[in-house]
């Protein structure tokens, strides 16, 4: 069932482009491989006195448009192939969204839920010591991803600043506001997804009160998306995390804040920041099922917001939702998308739908470099403007060329990377 994420990413590129000339061909060949893969062994002293060695990666995919930019993931499934795929998608996403960055990504193969807070801190600091020579405000700027947050960014920034001998806030984004982070960065990816939802609703004349949504993943991205959609009157009828799916049996739709509250109250404190599960909220009103079931709900909109490769050629026929808004990176395989398209479903691709995060990361970087601090309404306004411009551009190209939204997004990104490339040769 598992398809290599990197092969999937390259299939998406190949099948989106219309290679016209020698320069297209040259760039296409360049984009088959990352410019640099840094693999490090990270020894960490555990609380019991033993030493464990973890593997970490930083993939610097392409920097024709600016410094590499992309998150760092902590997960037991992290592999070089996965990080390469994620770094490739960042290259495409940063080009379409218009931020002046190339693409990169990083990760450590670890289950952070099994570490104490002290072990997590030592692991995070040790990782930064290993990759310090390869990153920096004008070289490569990491950010949060799955299982990393502003606390982890605080360890990174502090360790990197100590190594450089000066405060280096612009080397990382996704920091807490008191550490130089931007207002709205925490909410940004979910909020950007909500702006996309509003676009879809307007284009296809969906009435929020009658529109049902299922969300896979109840972490940073899934929770904030669900919260904004709920506030705007959409009906969140199913949410899932890695432990299970919660289904609303009242028909009214769920309040994501209530779920988060119960998850935190009931969740076991494993010593780190990942606490509880949506599963803890199951009872009379909410029925619980296995995690995968969230994908097959009879809803209008499905929002994968967990991990990649969850909609494959094997299960695509079971997807009932008419619209799929990809907030996770790479949730749909190339073959699965072909099947969904044939059934008349609309897939809003990850490189467009989840760009809100990197857009506000860009704002954070600009604020850190200039020493300015922007007000929340200003950040929201600029973000919405960039999200809308990007989405309109992608929809226009898709309709003009009669291609999928993903193919349109890849074509626009490719042209922009090509322009930067042509100036260099
Ligand atoms: P997170 O760690 O905060 O949350 C991940 C969630 O997914 C958790 O609730 C986890 O339980 C759930 N999950 C894991 N496996 C699952 C499964 N098999 N079924 C159902 N749920 C499962 O991570 P996040 O930051 O919210 O990132 C989620 C996705 O969004 C990732 O693909 C990430 O690359 C992408 N993304 C994140 C950002 C960002 O700003 N954080 C930006 C762009 C894209």
């Amino acid at each position: 069932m598992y398809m290599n994420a990197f092969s999937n990413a390259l299939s998406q590129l190949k099948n989106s482009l219309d290679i016209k000339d020698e320069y297209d061909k040259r760039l296409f060949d360049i984009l088959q491989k990352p410019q640099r893969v840094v693999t490090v062994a990270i020894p960490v002293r555990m609380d019991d006195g033993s030493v464990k060695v973890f593997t970490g990666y930083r993939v610097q995919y392409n920097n024709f448009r600016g410094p590499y930019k992309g998150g760092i993931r902590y997960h037991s499934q992290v592999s070089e192939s996965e990080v390469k795929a994620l770094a490739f998608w960042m290259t495409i996403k940063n080009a379409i969204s218009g931020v002046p960055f190339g693409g990169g990504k990083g990760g450590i193969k670890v289950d952070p839920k099994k570490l104490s807070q002290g072990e997590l801190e030592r692991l995070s600091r040790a990782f930064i010591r290993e990759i310090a020579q390869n990153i920096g405000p004008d070289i490569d700027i990491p950010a949060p991803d799955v299982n990393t947050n502003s606390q982890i960014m605080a360890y990174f920034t502090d360790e990197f600043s100590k190594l450089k001998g000066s405060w280096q806030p612009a080397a990382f984004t996704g920091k807490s506001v008191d550490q130089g982070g931007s207002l709205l960065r925490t909410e940004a990816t979910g909020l950007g997804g909500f702006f996309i939802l509003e676009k879809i609703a307007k284009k296809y004349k969906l009435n929020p009160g009658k529109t049902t949504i299922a969300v896979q993943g109840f972490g940073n991205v899934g929770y904030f998306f669900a919260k904004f959609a709920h506030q705007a009157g959409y009906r969140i009828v199913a949410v899932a995390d890695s432990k299970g799916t919660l289904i609303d049996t009242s028909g009214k739709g769920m309040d994501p804040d209530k779920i988060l509250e119960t998850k935190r109250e009931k969740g076991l404190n494993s010593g780190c920041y990942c606490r509880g599960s949506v599963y803890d909220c199951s009872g009379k009103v909410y029925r619980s099922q296995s995690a995968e079931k969230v994908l097959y709900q009879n809803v209008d909109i499905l929002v994968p917001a967990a991990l990649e490769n969850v909609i494959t050629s094997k299960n695509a026929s079971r997807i009932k939702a008419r619209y799929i808004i990809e907030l996770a990176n790479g949730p749909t395989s190339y073959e699965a998308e072909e099947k969904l398209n044939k059934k008349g479903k609309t897939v809003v691709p990850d490189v467009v739908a989840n760009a809100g995060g990197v857009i506000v990361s860009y704002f954070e970087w600009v604020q850190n470099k200039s020493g300015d601090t922007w007000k929340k309404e200003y950040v929201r306004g600029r973000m919405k403007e960039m999200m809308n411009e990007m989405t309109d551009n992608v929809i226009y190209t898709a309709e003009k060329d009669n291609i999928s939204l993903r193919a349109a997004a890849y074509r626009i990104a490719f042209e922009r990377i090509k322009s930067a490339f042509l100036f260099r040769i």
Side-chain angles (χ1 to χ4, degrees), residues 13 17-19 23-29 31 92 95-96 408-420:
L13 179 71
L17 300 181
D18 179 15
I19 303 281
Y23 295 110
D24 284 350
K25 171 81 176 73
R26 222 188 273 178
L27 180 61
F28 177 75
D29 289 344
L31 290 178
I92 300 292
I96 316 168
Y410 275 59
R411 283 188 187 185
I412 297 168
F414 189 84
E415 283 307 314
R416 289 185 179 174
I417 299 167
K418 191 170 96 178
S419 293

Side-chain angles (χ1 to χ4, degrees), residues 127-330:
F127 180 52
I128 288 308
R129 286 197 295 277
E130 296 299 335
I131 63 166
Q133 296 308 318
N134 301 95
I135 60 171
D138 298 312
I139 304 170
D140 182 354
I141 307 125
D145 191 70
V146 172
N147 288 330
T148 55
N149 57 11
S150 58
Q151 176 60 74
I152 304 291
M153 295 307 118
Y155 298 142
F156 287 170
T157 312
D158 187 53
E159 193 64 27
F160 188 73
S161 298
K162 281 179 181 152
L163 287 168
K164 297 289 165 189
S166 62
W167 181 230
Q168 299 280 334
F172 301 92
T173 59
K175 304 179 295 295
S176 74
V177 173
D178 291 330
Q179 268 231 325
S182 176
L183 288 168
L184 275 187
R185 173 60 187 91
T186 309
E187 301 92 319
T189 309
L191 179 61
F194 169 68
F195 292 151
I196 298 280
L197 170 67
E198 291 209 300
K199 276 260 168 209
I200 293 281
K202 196 168 170 207
K203 185 166 171 56
Y204 297 100
K205 301 189 176 45
L206 306 179
N207 173 345
K210 290 187 180 154
T211 303
T212 52
I213 303 180
V215 183
Q216 182 195 42
F218 199 72
N220 170 281
V221 176
Y223 159 70
F224 279 112
F225 170 82
K227 179 188 165 93
F228 291 118
H230 171 75
Q231 280 172 353
Y234 293 88
R235 283 165 52 207
I236 307 293
V237 296
V239 293
D241 63 16
S242 59
K243 300 212 179 80
T245 299
L246 199 61
I247 296 168
D248 172 37
T249 49
S250 75
K252 292 183 196 149
M254 307 181 208
D255 179 349
D257 276 323
K258 292 262 160 57
I259 298 171
L260 187 69
E261 220 172 89
T262 317
K263 178 171 125 82
R264 282 194 176 140
E265 262 169 29
K266 291 200 184 171
L268 291 175
N269 187 347
S270 59
C272 80
Y273 50 87
C274 324
R275 285 206 283 153
S277 161
V278 296
Y279 221 59
D280 297 325
C281 313
S282 59
K284 277 187 195 144
V285 183
Y286 299 146
R287 199 155 39 91
S288 48
Q289 290 194 355
S290 71
E292 204 197 351
K293 288 279 166 62
V294 72
L295 298 171
Y296 313 128
Q297 298 301 310
N298 195 7
V299 288
D300 299 303
I301 300 178
L302 172 65
V303 180
L307 295 172
E308 56 273 8
N309 208 37
V310 293
I311 306 177
T312 65
S313 57
K314 297 230 169 86
N315 69 358
S317 58
R318 296 175 66 192
I319 305 290
K320 298 194 184 81
R322 164 78 176 79
Y323 306 96
I324 293 127
I325 301 179
E326 294 185 336
L327 293 193
N329 284 306

Side-chain angles (χ1 to χ4, degrees), residues 43-62:
V44 177
R45 185 161 298 282
M46 308 304 280
D47 290 346
D48 65 5
S50 64
V51 172
K52 264 196 188 164
V53 183
F54 296 89
T55 305
Y57 305 93
R58 186 71 190 170
V59 174
Q60 298 179 325
Y61 207 93
N62 185 279

